Amino acid sequence: MSANRHAAIKAVLQQHLPNARLSAFAGSARLNADLAIDSIMLLQLIVHLELEHGFNLPEETLLTQELETVDDLARLLVANDQKEPSL
Amino acid sequence: MIKVHCFVSCVCEIIKRTPGVDHRPFYFGVWDADFSVNDQMELSYHSPHTRHNEFRDWYKLLYGISIEPWYNHKADKDTNIRTLVSLVENRPSDRQVMVMLDLYRLPERENKFHQNPFPHYVMLETTDNPDEWFMSDPDFRWEGVLPKDRILDSVRSPAAAGGFYFDGLNIRHTPAETVAAYFAQCMKTDHNPFTDALRRILRAHTGPDASQPLANLPHAFREIPVMAIRKYAFEHAFAWLLEDQGKQAEGAPWFEAVCEDIERLVKTYTQIQFRALKLVMSGDSALLASVEQLLDEQDEREFAIKTRLLGLFDDWQRYRNIGVPRPDTEQAPLEVL
């Protein structure tokens, strides 16, 4: 499952976020400092993961957890069929 | 304290280093500090028209120091760069020279915002090496030596145009009456300009009467994070108004609860940006009502914070035995540049 999540994150960066520094991609890569993902790119990444790859990040997580690395993001992603009730 | 407002951080640095004077009252002007919304209904934390006049006036009243503009907006960039070089190289030891540069042009400086361009104020000094300058960036809590040419290249960016200097001699102890008048001037008790602006921007991009394409909404909201952190200035105000009465702030349950609410206020702007992005990317129009709801909650949250701050301000006035009227509710409307 974890490999799927990492692969999904990488696929979104490849397809939709050309300004991200993909060459530095790794589980331990820091989203901002290593991959040059700014705050709005991070939000775009999360929405793409939800709409195209079946993973979502609960909004409360977005507000309370520090997402420093790719591993942090992968760990906190939830499969869409386990998502919180629709808004 | 994390980054809040680069101009304010620069001018407060010398105050922080002066015993007996407190920089925190100056942050009263920050939580609702000016920003702009352009003709395309896009939010911008900075506009070419920003001159920080109100901050400069109050800095003089509070601390007795004049912040002098040196940047000539009518002259070309090379002329202004020559002025900057002269100011930095002939700087008296107690003078601070501020310049606006484009931080995006200095990738060697870590910048979590990664925005292009990123106009930002720093302070500069010479070093023993004529090819290197010392940069002080209190807003990012960074200081270090960089090649002079690299710095000047970032000043040359078309996105950056501005500069000030001020002398740190004779900083005065601020009278409580002046602090109270500044608070009264800054406190907007009947509206929250930032949340109001986000609501107007949202409505300009959505619904049948939209004047702007929905697809532009993420770009219009792009600078939300830079603005949202200005709300941390509330923390400074609460802490100072408590401590100036001899009360504890840090660690006290009441203060910590207020800080949690301020944190929630800041973070909820991220949630607003997230839902707006999702609205555009998914086309799920049901999300629109949920963004509006979050904006209403933000108003409620910020008004509640302001009410508690006003209560604390009243206590402080009684403690200091001063009779400045409570903040006037008449405020100028947000200027759309």
Side-chain angles (χ1 to χ4, degrees):
Chain A
M1 183 58 116
S2 173
N4 285 348
R5 290 172 183 172
H6 284 82
I9 294 168
K10 191 171 184 182
V12 171
L13 297 183
Q14 241 161 354
Q15 267 183 287
H16 299 290
L17 298 169
N19 292 332
R21 214 175 288 133
L22 198 62
S23 57
F25 189 86
S28 59
R30 293 167 299 171
L31 296 165
N32 185 254
D34 298 328
L35 302 181
I37 295 175
D38 67 17
S39 55
I40 195 162
M41 288 162 74
L42 176 61
L43 298 182
Q44 287 170 326
L45 167 61
I46 293 166
V47 179
H48 281 299
L49 286 167
E50 179 170 342
L51 298 179
E52 296 158 22
H53 294 271
F55 294 114
N56 75 85
L57 189 81
E59 282 189 9
E60 198 57 32
T61 306
L62 187 66
L63 301 189
T64 54
Q65 303 285 321
E66 286 297 321
L67 295 173
E68 171 87 13
T69 64
V70 171
D71 284 342
D72 290 341
L73 175 58
R75 193 177 55 251
L76 294 165
L77 287 174
V78 177
N80 272 354
D81 52 9
Q82 299 167 27
K83 70 193 269 188
E84 21 173 32
S86 296
L87 297 164
Chain B
M1 192 78 184
I2 62 163
K3 175 186 162 55
V4 176
H5 191 295
C6 62
F7 178 90
V8 174
S9 297
C10 280
V11 300
C12 280
E13 189 60 16
I14 199 161
I15 308 297
K16 282 162 97 170
R17 285 195 242 127
T18 307
V21 193
D22 204 303
H23 67 286
R24 291 175 296 179
F26 198 58
Y27 279 81
F28 293 166
V30 173
W31 54 75
D32 280 335
D34 285 348
F35 54 90
S36 72
V37 178
N38 66 17
D39 292 342
Q40 287 78 50
M41 295 302 285
E42 294 167 336
L43 175 74
S44 174
Y45 73 94
H46 168 78
S47 92
H49 307 284
T50 304
R51 297 287 186 271
H52 302 297
N53 289 345
E54 268 193 53
F55 276 132
R56 287 166 49 210
D57 290 346
W58 279 104
Y59 194 77
K60 171 89 176 160
L61 288 167
L62 289 165
Y63 303 116
I65 301 175
S66 295
I67 301 172
E68 303 293 344
W70 59 260
Y71 196 95
N72 181 354
H73 292 268
K74 290 179 182 153
D76 62 19
K77 191 65 94 173
D78 284 340
T79 305
N80 277 298
I81 296 237
R82 277 196 297 276
T83 308
L84 173 64
V85 170
S86 171
L87 277 168
V88 173
E89 293 186 344
N90 301 299
R91 185 184 71 88
S93 61
D94 60 342
R95 177 164 293 177
Q96 309 295 319
V97 180
M98 280 171 69
V99 66
M100 189 199 298
L101 46 71
D102 180 358
L103 203 53
Y104 188 78
R105 289 198 178 195
L106 288 173
E108 55 270 55
R109 284 282 322 275
E110 192 175 325
N111 169 15
K112 69 173 186 159
F113 293 102
H114 279 298
Q115 296 207 352
N116 181 14
F118 193 89
H120 183 64
Y121 274 108
V122 299
M123 295 182 287
L124 298 171
E125 296 175 20
T126 53
T127 66
D128 292 339
N129 182 342
D131 297 328
E132 292 181 334
W133 277 358
F134 178 82
M135 180 185 291
S136 166
D137 183 352
D139 203 38
F140 281 90
R141 286 188 171 174
W142 186 91
E143 55 183 32
V145 173
L146 288 170
K148 176 180 162 186
D149 287 349
R150 299 278 308 133
I151 295 172
L152 293 181
D153 181 58
S154 67
V155 176
R156 236 174 231 114
S157 164
F164 302 91
Y165 69 85
F166 54 97
D167 293 335
L169 287 173
N170 305 320
I171 295 172
R172 74 158 175 235
H173 180 74
T174 310
E177 287 79 4
T178 311
V179 174
Y182 181 46
F183 183 91
Q185 168 81 22
C186 295
M187 199 60 172
K188 297 170 169 63
T189 54
D190 62 347
H191 67 298
N192 299 312
F194 181 45
T195 298
D196 290 347
L198 294 185
R199 196 178 281 111
R200 287 191 297 113
I201 292 168
L202 177 72
R203 290 177 185 172
H205 288 81
T206 53
D209 300 324
S211 59
Q212 305 297 325
L214 179 63
N216 288 3
L217 184 60
H219 192 262
F221 272 179
R222 185 175 173 78
E223 293 189 4
I224 282 180
V226 187
M227 292 289 306
I229 52 177
R230 293 181 178 180
K231 302 299 180 190
Y232 284 122
F234 280 122
E235 277 188 29
H236 271 344
F238 277 102
W240 185 80
L241 287 167
L242 284 167
E243 289 173 11
D244 200 57
Q245 296 178 70
K247 294 178 183 171
Q248 187 187 349
E250 196 99 25
W254 187 82
F255 176 72
E256 295 300 334
V258 166
C259 289
E260 271 180 37
D261 289 344
I262 295 165
E263 183 73 16
R264 190 77 195 184
L265 179 69
V266 173
K267 293 283 176 65
T268 302
Y269 287 118
T270 304
Q271 203 175 0
I272 288 167
Q273 194 176 19
F274 180 65
R275 285 195 195 172
L277 196 61
K278 208 158 147 181
L279 162 71
V280 174
M281 290 171 66
S282 69
D284 179 2
S285 56
L287 285 163
L288 179 57
S290 81
V291 180
E292 289 268 7
Q293 188 193 331
L294 283 179
L295 289 166
D296 291 345
E297 286 171 20
Q298 285 292 77
D299 260 337
E300 215 173 291
R301 190 171 284 123
E302 189 163 5
F303 281 134
I305 291 169
K306 285 179 173 177
T307 299
R308 270 179 291 175
L309 190 58
L310 277 166
L312 182 60
F313 175 71
D314 283 348
D315 294 345
W316 174 82
Q317 278 190 298
R318 276 191 292 276
Y319 179 83
R320 286 275 169 203
N321 199 23
I322 47 176
V324 176
R326 275 177 67 122
D328 195 339
T329 54
E330 284 293 312
Q331 296 290 338
L334 173 69
E335 188 181 1
V336 180
L337 297 165

